């Protein structure tokens, strides 16, 4: 048979598009993923100890978009969480992102929002338009706090100095002079109540959608007939790396189950200046699962090589320039839509991918028989 849409990737980008096209247009969609599960990097599962884990790194859903909340709420109830993260350095835990409590710990005595703002005003480096991730932090808090929390974490995570990364990388992290110690600013912060995998299963349950797992598009395509392709994999791979391999950052996850109710005092502890790993995630703090044991996952950044997962596009001018050559080719590739974090080479959060997939769904050409 001829599919209306062949969709490569069952992550947020592919699943939202399959759902929209099937339920709004009655289109017949075939979704392929080379992994053995749906959900892309947002996939979650119970490990062998029965603890709900995010095997591809912690996925804290948050958004300011009413459209995205309303859309996803068709497929899940929510478990509201204020995500809280600590940073471990100089032998102690610090509240992170930087807020008034962190500042008090730093100066060693109680303070006020006004006093903190006045101190930062003196220590910050005056830069009107920060051009990179070093400048975006030193222009807000000055060098000592930058060096304590950002410099080495960023080098470890990206194997690049913050000065070589876009301002948006470290600029993702809020800096506050009040006592708000939540990791994120967004108004809606919640996890799907029954997990991401269950939410994706509902999205893809439409009778017009077929999902084939452990199926690589590059091998399956010659046997498939379709009218339009939606591609959410790495864009350089689609074009056989004709302009060279794009740079990505990869990760290695090391899970450990421990016979204690909780191992650490928060859902996530960051290690800017100690260890080869960047963070230790104990998701139980966020899911609220009640169990006498726990699972933690240590996250080690590593260089990307074919065969590893390309977790992060590199938000930097040189990588973007290389990507722009692929983007030019993608713009004239007939019958194909490129969407999602890897296909558009953007450091997108989940809600941004959902929003862009919803927008694409409205723009896609009407196929004959649609
Ligand atoms: P993906 O989820 O990567 O899905 C693409 C899918 O395509 C994959 O399943 C892949 O197997 C498949 N695929 C690729 N090529 C082929 C092929 N040739 N054939 C078949 N299948 C193929 N966002 C947040 O909002 N909050 C967070 O806290 C957060 N934390 C993150 C932590 C980490 C460690 C990472 C890596 C990302 C995090 N994100 C977070 C971002 C989030 O993962 C992405 O925004 C979102 O999952 C992107 O969805 P996607 O569909 O574009 O891509
Ligand atoms: N970052 C840092 N120190 C921290 C946490 C984050 O320097 O303790 C920087 C680092 O460059 C990181 C970026 O801020 O890549 C964004 O952090 P976030 O936790 O949002 O990263 P993600 O969850 O996307 O990996």
């Amino acid at each position: 048979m001829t599919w209306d849409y062949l969709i490569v990737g069952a992550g947020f980008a592919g699943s939202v598009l399959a759902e929209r096209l099937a339920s709004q247009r009655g289109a017949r969609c075939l979704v392929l993923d080379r992994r053995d599960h749906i959900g892309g990097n947002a996939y979650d599962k119970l490990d062998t100890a029965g603890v709900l884990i995010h095997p591809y790194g912690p996925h804290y859903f948050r958004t300011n978009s009413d459209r995205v909340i309303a859309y996803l709420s068709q497929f899940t109830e929510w478990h509201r969480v204020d995500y809280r993260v600590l940073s471990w350095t100089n032998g102690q835990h610090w509240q992170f992102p930087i807020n008034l409590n962190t500042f008090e710990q730093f100066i060693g005595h109680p303070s006020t929002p006004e006093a903190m703002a006045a101190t930062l005003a003196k220590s910050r480096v005056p830069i009107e338009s920060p051009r990179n991730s070093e400048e975006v932090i030193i222009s807000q808090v000055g060098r000592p706090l930058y060096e304590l929390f950002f410099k080495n974490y960023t080098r470890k995570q990206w194997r690049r100095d913050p000065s070589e990364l876009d301002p948006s990388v470290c600029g993702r992290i809020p800096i506050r002079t009040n006592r708000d110690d939540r990791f994120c600013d967004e108004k809606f912060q919640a996890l799907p109540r029954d997990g991401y995998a269950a939410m994706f299963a509902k999205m893809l349950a439409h009778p017009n959608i077929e999902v084939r797992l452990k199926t690589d598009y590059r091998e399956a395509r010659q046997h498939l007939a379709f009218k339009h392709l939606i591609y959410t994999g790495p864009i350089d791979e689609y074009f056989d790396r004709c302009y060279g391999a794009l740079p990505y950052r990869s990760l290695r996850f090391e899970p450990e189950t421990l016979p204690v109710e909780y191992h650490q005092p928060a859902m996530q502890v960051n290690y800017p200046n100690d260890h080869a790993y960047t963070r230790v995630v104990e998701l139980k703090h966020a899911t609220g699962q009640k169990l006498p044991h726990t699972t933690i996952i240590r996250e080690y950044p590593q260089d990307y090589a074919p065969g590893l997962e390309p977790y992060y596009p590199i938000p930097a001018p040189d990588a973007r320039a290389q990507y722009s050559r692929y983007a030019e080719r993608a713009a004239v590739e007939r019958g194909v839509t490129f969407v999602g974090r890897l296909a558009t080479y953007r450091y997108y959060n989940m809600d941004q991918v959902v929003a862009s997939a919803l927008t694409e769904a409205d723009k896609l050409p009407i196929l004959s028989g649609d």
Side-chain angles (χ1 to χ4, degrees):
M1 74 177 267
T2 300
W3 297 93
D4 292 324
Y5 293 95
L6 177 64
I7 301 179
V8 180
F12 268 106
S15 300
V16 170
L17 275 155
E19 190 285 327
R20 285 291 76 196
L21 294 166
S23 60
Q24 275 194 323
R25 298 193 186 180
R28 284 160 310 156
C29 301
L30 175 62
V31 181
L32 308 181
D33 204 297
R34 58 188 171 198
R35 293 177 176 172
D36 63 0
H37 58 75
I38 55 174
N41 285 339
Y43 173 67
D44 55 6
K45 66 170 187 183
L46 296 180
D47 67 7
T48 50
V51 183
L52 186 73
I53 57 163
H54 290 174
Y56 301 107
H59 277 68
Y60 308 135
F61 186 81
R62 70 267 200 168
T63 191
N64 286 321
S65 164
D66 292 330
R67 184 183 190 206
V68 169
I69 301 169
Y71 174 72
L72 291 179
S73 300
Q74 300 175 80
F75 312 104
T76 189
E77 306 281 327
W78 297 98
H79 168 67
R80 299 296 278 256
V81 201
D82 285 333
Y83 305 117
R84 285 204 166 76
V85 169
L86 297 173
S87 184
W88 171 268
T89 188
N90 291 356
Q92 52 182 308
H93 287 116
W94 303 70
Q95 280 191 10
F96 192 80
I98 296 169
N99 63 66
L100 180 55
N101 298 324
T102 324
F103 178 70
E104 288 180 339
Q105 206 177 340
F106 186 66
I107 58 172
H109 58 81
S111 187
T112 61
E114 296 73 29
M116 179 176 175
T119 305
L120 294 186
K122 273 188 243 153
S123 58
R124 79 166 59 103
V125 181
I127 302 168
E128 219 166 272
S129 312
R131 285 162 306 173
N132 58 53
S133 271
E134 177 187 41
E135 290 187 359
V136 84
I137 301 298
I138 62 172
S139 66
Q140 293 180 83
V141 299
R143 284 199 181 275
L145 286 167
Y146 162 74
E147 283 173 9
L148 198 57
F149 294 117
F150 290 92
K151 183 173 161 182
N152 295 328
Y153 185 106
T154 300
R155 286 179 165 184
K156 187 160 46 170
Q157 167 71 7
W158 301 96
R159 197 129 82 89
R160 284 187 181 218
D161 191 77
S163 60
E164 300 168 80
L165 291 163
D166 287 353
S168 57
V169 177
C170 289
R172 286 165 60 84
I173 308 292
I175 287 169
R176 310 189 184 103
T177 53
N178 59 22
R179 294 193 195 275
D180 181 355
D181 64 343
R182 293 168 312 147
F183 189 55
C184 311
D185 275 337
E186 286 83 351
K187 67 177 182 185
F188 184 81
Q189 305 186 20
L191 293 170
R193 194 194 59 194
D194 302 319
Y196 288 99
M199 180 179 81
F200 278 96
K202 278 201 176 163
M203 289 168 76
L204 293 167
H206 195 283
N208 282 8
I209 302 175
E210 182 177 326
V211 179
R212 291 189 198 159
L213 299 174
K214 294 190 262 182
T215 305
D216 195 311
Y217 162 70
R218 290 166 303 176
E219 284 140 34
R221 64 185 157 192
Q222 59 264 39
H223 312 296
L224 293 168
F226 52 91
K227 297 178 190 164
H228 191 89
L229 178 68
I230 292 170
Y231 183 83
T232 78
I235 189 164
D236 54 338
E237 197 179 292
Y238 178 89
F239 290 111
D240 297 322
R241 303 194 175 89
C242 64
Y243 303 123
L246 285 172
Y248 298 94
R249 197 72 178 135
S250 196
L251 299 168
R252 180 170 66 80
F253 299 100
E254 188 184 85
E256 186 181 3
T257 298
L258 299 161
V260 291
E261 195 178 2
Y262 288 105
H263 162 77
Q264 62 187 28
M267 167 193 86
Q268 180 176 314
V269 179
N270 291 354
Y271 290 89
N273 303 312
D274 297 84
H275 306 298
Y277 45 84
T278 47
R279 53 190 177 186
V280 178
V281 173
E282 186 174 25
L283 200 68
K284 248 181 98 183
H285 285 279
T287 58
Q289 236 189 332
K290 300 271 179 269
L291 286 170
H293 51 275
T294 190
T295 298
I296 58 168
I297 302 186
R298 296 186 179 84
E299 201 168 309
Y300 295 83
Q302 61 180 356
D303 291 345
Y304 170 72
L308 297 178
E309 288 291 341
Y311 285 112
Y312 294 88
I314 310 282
D318 54 318
R320 207 172 21 261
Q322 196 183 348
Y323 161 69
S324 69
R325 301 189 66 192
Y326 285 107
E328 279 166 26
R329 260 198 83 171
V332 294
E333 183 80 350
R334 294 173 72 94
V336 189
T337 300
F338 295 85
V339 54
R341 176 148 144 149
L342 296 169
T344 63
Y345 200 72
R346 287 205 175 82
Y347 186 4
Y348 268 157
N349 277 341
M350 295 177 278
D351 63 323
Q352 295 170 298
V353 172
V354 173
S356 65
L358 291 174
T359 302
E360 282 301 331
D362 294 337
K363 286 199 311 212
L364 276 168
I366 306 284
L367 302 173
S368 54
D370 246 21

